[in-house]
Amino acid sequence: MGIKLKMNSDAANIYKRICRMISSKIKFDESKNLLNNFYPTNNVKEITNRQNYLKRMFDKIGDIKIGFIKSINFNFKRLNDRILVVSEDELKDALELNLCDVDTEPIKGYPLVLSTQGFGIDVDDISVFEISPETIVQTLYNNRDVLVEVNRIMGSLNKTSVVQNILLEIEKIEDVFEKQRFIEDIDEMLQSKLSEIKKAIEDKIKDEKIVLSGREILDYLSNKKSPKLSKFEEYAIEEIMKAERDICKKLGVNAEVLSKEIFPEINFREVERLKIELEKEFVVERYLKSREIVRRIKNLLPELEEELRLVYEVELVRALKEFFSCYNWCFPSFNNKISFEVAYNLFIQNPQPISYFIDAEDVVVLTGANSGGKTSLLELIAQIQLLAQMGLPVPAKNAMIDAVDEIFFFKRKKTAYNAGAFESTLKSFTSALVSDNKKLVLIDEFEAITEPGAAVKIISEFLRMGYEKRFYMIVVSHMGEELRLNLDFVRVDGIEARGLDDNLNLIVDRQPKIGIVGKSTPELVVERLFRLSKGKRKEILKRILEVFGDKSGDDRS
């Protein structure tokens, strides 16, 4: 794996920001976590392996779309409806599994008795597959939509999935779960049946005319019998029996849950007895059916886990492909230089493409206009270096990278000019020069925190040490001329302002010119202020323009 790339805080912030941007394209947390596998390294072989992996995957996934996916986690909880009876030798393992009560002797009161010793239902071993198979089957059953999507994605990748076999097996539990739903809804179902029966009886007798004497009414209230009502009683009992046959067929048991009278009622005591009996039967039936299924599919579960992992990989690759599709992109090659053509800064909207290079023996001073893109160029270099050492594509038409051990990026701080800020910054800079490891050092305007004379001396020595240690070093500075005079080995590049647009904004060509000091052209700033000013301020700025040799100020408006 090589050594993880060392970064200072500013470089690490760029890395984190890149990761956040990529993560925003990723649907699943599991896929986002896989991005950690691409942490920057200095091992070119490892980087090349990552590149080759992504190249294969980019081709393989095509324009794949991924629907709803989530992890399938078997959350095994303690079950109170069973006891496991084991030998003394097996007791420790059974207790550590902690799935149910365990003993060496059978104990009454449990709907389900499992045993390795011939009591109740025999189990093959002490494992989750034998003790709690329902958890596995129920979880897979509840995640059928996920399984179907995994199967579809595997098909898109021209892979044969184990999901089809798993789905065929877990569908066999449907009748058991249907019975469970029926047991849970039995009270509601009986009330519905009772309402249907009463309505049928009412419809049958509502238009009938029956005359009962007072004695007949008293006899009916006392004995629930009346010759004149017998035909209606027969009809009611027929409806009740029909309903009970339907209920018993669904439950698989015989039961009399409705009273046999013209206006029947539910026999709640019988219903409760029936529910208890059914629950006991259901626990056993569900266990046996689930265990039968699990025994057939348990060897497929590791392969299912691998397929899910592959789906999360595919989502990561899909997101990377989408992310870089916004740019010209390439996988960089590796050599003893850092260079790129037509590269785009990821942090800028509609950036100007930049081409640039640093040879192994180069230390560079980057000069030029304020707001001309010097800082964004340092960011771009850091982005490309980090992405390359992650093994990812870079937003450039072509790129060549030298894998470094450390990246130091010192972003200009918005800190007041004082001794404390200078001391703190100096400590940070010197930390970049301590080791002889191969490194990339990017410094943004050190002179901003000290006076120019001292800054020239300090930066000169930084550059000299960087050159001696063959670091890749770029320093942004407005003192390019002074530094070039002091150091003949320094390359000075520049970014120049070309003029003002119709809105009096600076026109800057952000493409650095190699070996040329970039003119910040302060006269353009003065000219801009001159054009925007009136009265005495305009007169003052006119005189300043004349110092720059501009004699045409009178004609400007």
Side-chain angles (χ1 to χ4, degrees), residues 467-481:
Y467 177 73
E468 291 169 355
K469 295 188 176 186
R470 290 296 185 264
F471 295 161
Y472 292 100
M473 180 179 282
I474 302 177
V475 177
V476 169
S477 176
H478 291 289
M479 300 179 295
E481 292 283 13

Side-chain angles (χ1 to χ4, degrees), residues 83-122:
I83 186 171
L84 175 61
V85 182
V86 297
S87 68
E88 289 287 352
D89 293 339
E90 298 168 320
L91 186 60
K92 181 181 177 182
D93 290 340
L95 289 171
E96 286 178 352
L97 200 59
N98 196 31
L99 288 176
C100 63
D101 288 344
V102 179
D103 210 305
T104 55
E105 296 291 338
I107 300 174
K108 292 183 179 180
Y110 292 91
L112 192 59
V113 178
L114 309 176
S115 178
T116 60
Q117 303 299 304
F119 302 103
I121 299 173
D122 290 335

